[in-house]
Amino acid sequence: MKILVINAGSSSIKYQLLDAKDGCALASGIVERIGDDMGSLTHKGFIGSANEYKEKMECPFPTHREGMHEVVKLLVDPEKGVIKDHSEISGIGHRIVHGGERFYAPVEIDEDVLQGIRDVIPLAPLHNPGHVIGIEVAMELFPGVRQVAVFDTSFHQTMEPKAYQFGVPYELYEEFGIRRYGFHGTSHKFVAREAAKYLGKPMEECNLVTVHLGNGASLCAIKNGKCYDTSMGLTPLGGIIMGTRCGDIDPAIIGFICDKKGMSVSEVEHMLTHDSGLKGICGSNDLRDIHTRIEEGDERAVLALEMATHRVRQFIGSYFFELGRVDAVIFTAGIGENDPEYRAKTCADLENFGIVMDKDKNWNWDRTPSAISADESPVKVLVIATNEELEIANDTVAVLGL
Ligand code: AMP
């Protein structure tokens, strides 16, 4: 059973065609710079087989429609397509960044759901418009194929008001929905379920702290299998220090910068989103570069890593208090899966809190869901590779009852 997963951004479309039975990707790719004078499409087909190929084409894609059209052509190409025609696709799952308060679970898309996603645009002006176009184009190009929306926010909808309300006038929540929503929910849910399997416990009995560390990064406190708290807020700018995003800062800083530098609020927001975080501290947002620079004696790079891991420890510590009992801390995503030093610094000297690391396991993680803590560690530390596309495909199968 083949499921197409689409992640349509404002000027890009990422896609993956998966076999939902074994979770293997058959084809994947990305259309970039939609609307620019020149765009590109990078496509991989027959992934994991002897016929695997990769190709890149450069041409303008005036709108998402032309981009998606080209993707369909590649998927059904008589020679190098992985399917004969679109009737082989059993369902389409769309990644939607923001579902507001309405969507607390994946849902089949109809006109009412599409309108619901449009209604949340004020909360996610950079993301939801692209998702809406992606859905509209997919409906046009795959007539009769049922489609499902899977929200980054929905896993976090189990938070209680004490966790999701901000200390601002309550009317702002009532009038505009200003509250903590949280993101990366699909990833947090995926690795939490994998962790439960590893621990041999039902998910509903697991208390976990999931640590998603990619270019965007967030933590989630999971109590009895459900989200209890998370680090991102109204938007994906809040929480820990990220590649280019500042995370939580004193809110007074924004007015102060506007005043001192004569910048508008949106200019400051742009700076906090694109030129802050690790990049703002040391000029680089990629941990691989940061480690190289640390080896070369760059003090700013040292500071950037110290600050980032310090902040993650603060969140893990607060979640230990919130949860009371923790079965496991789980690292995932680009940094979480690939950076043993980041993990070691984050988990150093926590034996009194039940975390005992195994240096050898941490530095030689074998890419399977497994522990990097010592066998005797009361709280397990796991590394689990995330797979948001597979989670979206599984949700699509479940919602459509396939
Ligand atoms: P993601 O958003 O999950 O794709 O993560 C991307 C980030 O992962 C990059 O910006 C890097 O900081 C980090 N990353 C990827 N590979 C490595 C690696 N081998 N070592 C350290 N960090 C890595």
Side-chain angles (χ1 to χ4, degrees):
M1 186 196 322
K2 297 180 184 89
I3 302 291
L4 180 62
V5 173
I6 296 178
N7 180 0
S10 54
S11 64
S12 69
I13 305 167
K14 282 191 206 141
Y15 60 92
Q16 198 173 101
L17 186 70
L18 293 103
D19 189 328
K21 268 206 194 106
D22 56 14
C24 288
L26 305 166
S28 70
I30 181 166
V31 186
E32 289 173 284
R33 298 194 303 281
I34 294 170
D36 280 6
D37 291 345
M38 187 52 77
S40 68
L41 197 174
T42 312
H43 178 84
K44 262 195 213 170
F46 297 108
I47 296 170
S49 79
N51 298 331
E52 178 169 331
Y53 73 95
K54 183 176 177 177
E55 69 178 48
K56 184 168 180 173
M57 64 168 79
E58 304 256 337
C59 65
F61 296 107
T63 68
H64 287 69
R65 195 178 184 288
E66 288 79 12
M68 204 60 223
H69 198 75
E70 206 52 50
V71 172
V72 177
K73 257 170 67 185
L74 282 168
L75 291 175
V76 302
D77 186 278
E79 274 163 33
K80 50 189 178 175
V82 295
I83 51 174
K84 278 201 207 73
D85 60 63
H86 77 247
S87 66
E88 276 189 56
I89 297 175
S90 305
I92 299 178
H94 292 267
R95 179 207 176 203
I96 310 293
V97 164
H98 217 307
E101 287 196 311
R102 170 169 169 187
F103 298 109
Y104 52 88
V107 60
E108 182 167 1
I109 299 173
D110 58 17
E111 193 40 53
D112 182 46
V113 167
L114 194 51
Q115 187 53 42
I117 297 169
R118 286 193 197 101
D119 291 341
V120 184
I121 286 177
L123 293 174
L126 299 178
H127 294 100
N128 276 28
H131 300 329
V132 169
I133 298 171
I135 293 169
E136 287 171 345
V137 171
M139 283 178 152
E140 194 187 317
L141 295 179
F142 300 96
V145 181
R146 294 162 72 195
Q147 317 216 8
V148 171
V150 180
F151 302 89
D152 272 16
T153 46
S154 66
F155 182 61
H156 305 301
Q157 281 295 304
T158 48
M159 276 187 289
E160 294 173 24
K162 67 181 179 190
Y164 71 67
Q165 289 290 356
F166 290 125
V168 295
Y170 197 79
E171 301 81 73
L172 293 174
Y173 167 63
E174 293 175 312
E175 225 177 308
F176 305 112
I178 291 181
R179 50 160 282 183
R180 179 185 308 285
Y181 289 96
F183 299 89
H184 298 132
T186 308
S187 175
H188 288 295
K189 190 170 101 186
F190 179 83
V191 296
R193 191 160 348 90
E194 290 296 306
K197 272 190 226 161
Y198 179 84
L199 297 169
K201 272 176 115 171
M203 173 99 157
E204 326 51 268
E205 288 174 21
C206 287
N207 281 8
L208 308 166
V209 177
T210 46
V211 189
H212 176 109
L213 298 170
N215 227 335
S218 67
L219 284 89
C220 186
I222 296 171
K223 194 171 198 170
N224 299 325
K226 291 189 174 138
C227 172
Y228 188 73
D229 206 347
T230 191
S231 60
M232 281 178 165
L234 175 75
T235 71
L237 187 55
I240 56 175
I241 294 174
M242 295 169 243
T244 63
R245 296 177 227 165
C246 60
D248 291 349
I249 57 168
D250 180 341
I253 291 174
I254 297 173
F256 193 88
I257 304 173
C258 290
D259 204 25
K260 293 287 175 202
K261 290 190 78 92
M263 290 165 79
S264 66
V265 171
S266 59
E267 283 169 339
V268 176
E269 271 176 11
H270 187 273
M271 184 180 81
L272 298 177
T273 306
H274 299 286
D275 301 315
S276 298
L278 298 169
K279 184 180 171 199
I281 306 296
C282 74
S284 175
N285 62 312
D286 193 308
L287 257 301
R288 286 163 289 199
D289 299 338
I290 291 174
H291 287 303
T292 307
R293 289 175 47 190
I294 290 174
E295 277 165 31
E296 291 163 1
D298 185 325
E299 287 183 9
R300 288 286 191 89
V302 174
L303 176 64
L305 183 60
E306 292 281 326
M307 286 172 65
T309 51
H310 175 74
R311 198 63 67 83
V312 176
R313 285 168 69 90
Q314 286 182 325
F315 270 96
I316 294 177
S318 67
Y319 289 168
F320 265 54
F321 260 57
E322 286 186 39
L323 296 174
R325 167 187 67 78
V326 175
D327 296 299
V329 175
I330 300 112
F331 286 91
T332 192
I335 300 166
E337 293 165 28
N338 295 302
D339 196 333
E341 196 171 336
Y342 197 115
R343 297 192 298 250
K345 283 181 95 59
T346 303
C347 297
D349 306 323
L350 294 178
E351 290 78 8
N352 285 342
F353 297 91
I355 291 182
V356 186
M357 290 290 276
D358 182 316
K359 194 173 171 191
D360 191 46
K361 285 185 190 162
N362 181 37
W363 283 86
N364 298 297
W365 177 60
D366 63 4
R367 306 209 70 81
T368 62
S370 53
I372 55 166
S373 49
D375 292 343
E376 72 274 17
S377 184
V379 177
K380 303 294 169 215
V381 181
L382 311 178
V383 186
I384 297 177
T386 194
N387 193 338
E388 288 163 283
E389 288 79 12
L390 177 57
E391 184 67 19
I392 293 172
N394 287 338
D395 280 343
T396 303
V397 170
V399 167
L400 299 180
L402 298 171

